[in-house]
Amino acid sequence: QVQLVESGGGLVQAGGSLRLSCAASGSIFSMRAMGWYRQAPGKQRELVALITSGDNTNYADSVKGRFTISRDNAKNTVYLQMNSLKPEDTAVYYCNARLKLGLGKPYYDYWGQGTQVTVSS
């Protein structure tokens, strides 16, 4: 059983900052990547940022230069530092982890429950 627990969402004014955290727990054998996705009302879920086990990162164009993803491998935790927030960043943010539970087993995607980020203008 794997659990992803997110924290750090909330309400902030435009131009402000928030830091999201997501801790993965359970019988994790290997973690390939962790990332953050978001879904605004009436829109599809989209990738915000991703970080691999080798610390390669990938960002959505809309957040480049404003958001920074990082991870603590020892704690199986991923962070998303969000600066210069805009009203269009308002969404539910979901943590994702691609991991496997044992040698020879496939990688699967696991999701957190989501945390609301609201940016007021």
Side-chain angles (χ1 to χ4, degrees):
Q1 191 78 5
V2 173
Q3 191 174 20
L4 302 183
V5 178
E6 301 146 335
S7 61
L11 173 64
V12 65
Q13 288 189 333
S17 298
L18 284 174
R19 188 188 192 217
L20 305 183
S21 299
C22 172
S25 61
S27 302
I28 299 168
F29 177 79
S30 175
M31 185 87 72
R32 173 172 286 177
M34 296 187 78
W36 292 93
Y37 290 71
R38 66 186 180 188
Q39 187 167 18
K43 294 188 177 181
Q44 289 189 332
R45 190 174 296 190
E46 63 175 359
L47 173 68
V48 177
L50 183 75
I51 185 166
T52 69
S53 57
D55 285 338
N56 294 312
T57 58
N58 185 32
Y59 294 92
D61 288 342
S62 59
V63 307
K64 284 180 181 177
R66 299 188 297 123
F67 291 10
T68 302
I69 191 169
S70 61
R71 63 187 287 176
D72 184 333
N73 291 328
K75 297 181 179 179
N76 284 331
T77 299
V78 65
Y79 307 96
L80 186 67
Q81 179 66 43
M82 304 185 294
N83 299 329
S84 302
L85 282 160
K86 304 175 180 180
E88 51 263 44
D89 294 318
T90 295
V92 178
Y93 283 69
Y94 295 92
C95 176
N96 169 269
R98 179 160 293 180
L99 56 89
K100 62 179 178 180
L101 303 181
L103 185 66
K105 294 189 175 182
Y107 283 95
Y108 284 113
D109 283 325
Y110 292 84
W111 295 89
Q113 78 284 358
T115 185
Q116 177 70 46
V117 171
T118 302
V119 184
S120 62
S121 57

